[in-house]
Amino acid sequence: TFADPMAIDRADDDTDDGSDRVAADELETLSMQRSTSAQRAARVRSDLTVSDWNPSPGGTVYALASGGGVLFAGGVFPDIGGVIRHGLAAFDANSGGLTGWNPGVDDEVYALLVSGGTVYAAGSFTTAGGAPRAGLVALDGTSGAPQPFDARLSGGPVYTVALSGTTLYAGGAFTSVDGVARSGLAAL
């Protein structure tokens, strides 16, 4: 089910007729009704119907981000529909098919951000794509190869990332970045 069925953008709603609540209730109901057939991931259309897309991750998906016609997923799962994908996976946004993108991480992914051809993944991992990267990694969006960027975080996981211009922001439970004290929030 959805973690917060009320997380609906109400910015365009000039009325207070409760229609956004009805949509949220319908979304929650649809999600719950389909939970046995669309396990842990679902595509909900704008009319609030659930599509047949059912990738069947072998665990929990915490983060989704899209860019360049690709939907990226992160979380704590060993596979997607029986195909090995440790914590990170990518799908063709049109067909829903699993792509060959497979960088893999050794622990959980909590957040994803796509910027141009780069996918930033944040979490509690210590390696990504076979390279040492504690909690934050920049991956090539096509090959999955780790990029040279290394924030050298320590002390705890990264739970969220945001990009403003060329500045990447990270938030979490970490205590330092590249040996400099930064308690839980950093601009990189």
Side-chain angles (χ1 to χ4, degrees), residues 30-65:
L30 284 170
S31 174
M32 294 175 81
Q33 288 173 345
R34 297 294 297 249
S35 65
T36 56
S37 61
Q39 297 174 1
R40 299 185 170 110
R43 182 186 295 174
V44 181
R45 298 181 187 102
S46 61
D47 67 358
L48 300 178
T49 59
V50 179
S51 78
D52 291 334
W53 183 67
N54 186 8
S56 298
T60 303
V61 174
Y62 293 131
L64 296 171

Side-chain angles (χ1 to χ4, degrees), residues 86-150:
H86 291 284
L88 289 166
F91 304 90
D92 179 283
N94 293 316
S95 72
L98 187 65
T99 72
W101 192 79
N102 186 19
V105 292
D106 67 348
D107 207 344
E108 299 183 22
V109 173
Y110 302 123
L112 293 172
L113 173 75
V114 177
S115 178
T118 302
V119 177
Y120 294 94
S124 58
F125 51 85
T126 58
T127 62
R133 296 290 190 275
L136 185 60
V137 64
L139 300 161
D140 182 276
T142 303
S143 70
Q147 302 302 293
F149 168 82
D150 186 357

Side-chain angles (χ1 to χ4, degrees), residues 145-172:
Q147 302 302 293
F149 168 82
D150 186 357
R152 294 176 186 78
L153 295 160
S154 63
V158 178
Y159 295 118
T160 188
V161 289
L163 188 65
S164 179
T166 59
T167 303
L168 180 68
Y169 295 92

Side-chain angles (χ1 to χ4, degrees), residues 65-86:
S66 64
V70 179
L71 174 67
F72 297 92
V76 56
F77 47 82
D79 66 88
I80 300 287
V83 179
I84 300 296
R85 294 289 188 272
H86 291 284

